[in-house]
Amino acid sequence: MADEPLVLGIETSCDETGVGIVRGTTLLADAVASSVNDHARFGGVVPEIASRAHLEAMVPTIQRALDTAGIKASDLDGIAVTAGPGLAGALLVGVSAAKAYAWALDKPLYGVNHLASHICVDQLEHGRLPSPTMALLVSGGHSSLLLSEDITSDVRPLGATIDDAAGEAFDKVARVLGLGFPGGPIVDRTAREGDPKAIAFPRGLSGRNDPAYDFSFSGLKTAVARWVEAKRRAGEEVPVADVAASFQEAVTDVLTRKAVKACKDNGVDHLMIGGGVAANSRLREMAQQRCDRAGIRLRVPRPGLCTDNGAMVAALGAEMVWRDRTPSALDLSADSSLPVTETHVPHTDFHGQAYDALGGGAA
Amino acid sequence: MLLLAFDTATPAVTAAVHDGTAVLAETHQVDARRHGELLLPAIDQVLRAAGVDKHRLTGIAVGVGPGPYTGLRVGLVTAAALGHALGLPVHGVCTLDAIAFQARAEGLAGQPFTAATDARRKEVYWASYDAEGRRTEGPAVDRPAELTPQPRSVGAGALLYPDAFPGGHGPEHVSAGALAGFAAAELAAGRELLPNHPLYLRRPDAQVPAGYKAVLPA
Ligand SMILES: [Zn+2]
């Protein structure tokens, strides 16, 4: 197998149809078709609308990625796809497409974990991940602290949100403030005009006896809503920018404090931050300051690679090929609740061993 | 002509290879929850059984529904991706037309009838055909009680609601062999088939959340 495997990755776990092409740790193409505007008026992602959009966008997005990379599909060394976790119907469109391409082109198929892909994408920006790496994943769907010894085989969850994901809290606070959807970028922009110390919003699960690495954003979201409502009831003007800045400060304070603590407790000197919320400017700034102070090297991909995309799936797929991991079978399932510990879904039965013995993709 | 045909619009996951004259091989599994797992292995298996190399295929025929969406999309995206990767044209076939084609082959030729499949939520997807096999009504999605079907009907939708479809009998689900036969006949006659677009017939379920809900007691 090539030292620098050429892999196409398909990501359809939520509302973005992402197709990336990677050679080893080099990004060649990152094509995205988003249905975000179709969901905006609903204030959240509508699964059926997302699934319909994935079907429409699949082939054109693949072609766009191939054109950008300047390669033919037959040049590929493998096809990777998000097998989970994510929206079941949306995942199924990507998994079905990936199987069809892998089978038609006689290439090995790799069903990979969406969360591990979010971590692995940083290899496209900052080279191979050191072992071990601590990862803080924050988005509309997840908020987790993960310790990875080997991104293709060993990812351990240290903590996660016990209620809302951080990105969900951004969406809900944006709705309370009447700022629109999705909330992340709008709250970030609005917060720049506000005072992060104006209102002391609560820091969830930060007591001495609380779980050290778990998160909770539901109480914070409710506190913001109560505060805003109280103002409105009193007939006072809501200082929108101050609310946004103070809320954002509370979220980023908890996220970065726990991430740095996890690094120190586990003797890890690299912290990777990924997921859509990693695009937040205050989170990046605060994480940098706290990591610098703690002697931890911070790795955050550029915002475009933090949100869901196909490049991250291709990056993990390329790593799977490079490390000679077992491909997936053609009966691979889309698993909406795939555990993070399952970095990929290898073929494990008798036929899988026979497949390996035959030299993988040479069907 | 060497067609690969498949359909995932009904509980059946079915694939077939057709040479323009006859079905060379066909597979049929009924499992409404595992279209995604079963389809590609079924395609691989049917080509092996027919002894046909995928690079010799001249086209793909796929059932475009109507059918429950999640399963339906498995077939459509697979057809689109295979067509793209193998450089093959993809011909869409209304799944009810394929069921009707099979029903005529099994003895209903010369009679008008209705084909109906289960649309869930107490509704059926249906279409009606005249004695020559031409579709005269549908495809549409409706409550069975609101329909006036032909005296004979076929499909799981008809079997499920015998009060609304008194003459209901098999075939229950679509077979890819029949779908391929229909497509081959249409192509041979120089007629265009459908584009590879799903016949959803319903708008997506999407509840607009009611205005922002207050958390303070009123
Ligand atoms: Zn994600």
Side-chain angles (χ1 to χ4, degrees), chain A residues 81-276:
Chain A
V81 63
T82 304
L87 300 170
L91 286 169
L92 188 57
V93 176
V95 168
S96 300
K99 285 182 192 182
Y101 280 104
W103 177 82
L105 300 165
D106 293 315
K107 306 295 180 189
L109 170 73
Y110 296 87
V112 302
N113 190 295
H114 178 82
L115 301 179
S117 302
H118 266 307
I119 301 174
C120 197
V121 75
D122 193 53
Q123 297 202 145
L124 305 178
E125 291 262 278
H126 301 111
R128 284 225 146 72
L129 290 163
S131 172
T133 294
M134 188 66 65
L136 171 66
L137 289 192
V138 272
S139 76
H142 17 267
S143 306
S144 333
L145 266 169
L146 305 165
L147 179 57
S148 167
E149 293 284 347
D150 173 345
I151 195 59
T152 62
S153 66
D154 184 2
V155 175
R156 256 177 298 153
L158 297 184
T161 180
I162 60 165
D163 40 55
D164 296 346
E168 263 181 286
F170 274 90
D171 285 341
K172 285 173 185 168
V173 165
R175 201 186 310 162
V176 168
L177 293 174
L179 295 174
F181 172 86
I186 297 178
V187 169
D188 193 352
R189 252 193 331 270
T190 309
R192 276 173 217 165
E193 314 296 319
D195 176 6
K197 297 200 181 78
I199 309 146
F201 286 127
R203 270 61 170 163
L205 291 187
S206 291
R208 195 166 305 159
N209 296 320
D210 287 328
Y213 309 135
D214 283 339
F215 303 104
S216 166
F217 299 107
S218 174
L220 169 61
K221 169 197 77 188
T222 308
V224 173
R226 281 175 177 272
W227 195 93
V228 169
E229 271 175 44
K231 277 276 170 202
R232 285 184 184 141
R233 287 222 186 146
E236 294 173 39
E237 201 182 318
V238 176
V240 172
D242 284 349
V243 173
S246 300
F247 157 76
Q248 181 174 274
E249 194 73 1
V251 173
T252 54
D253 179 28
V254 175
L255 289 173
T256 55
R257 189 139 33 83
K258 293 201 174 208
V260 167
K261 177 172 167 48
C263 288
K264 286 186 181 164
D265 292 354
N266 291 276
V268 177
D269 59 3
H270 282 77
L271 173 66
M272 183 274 160
I273 305 185

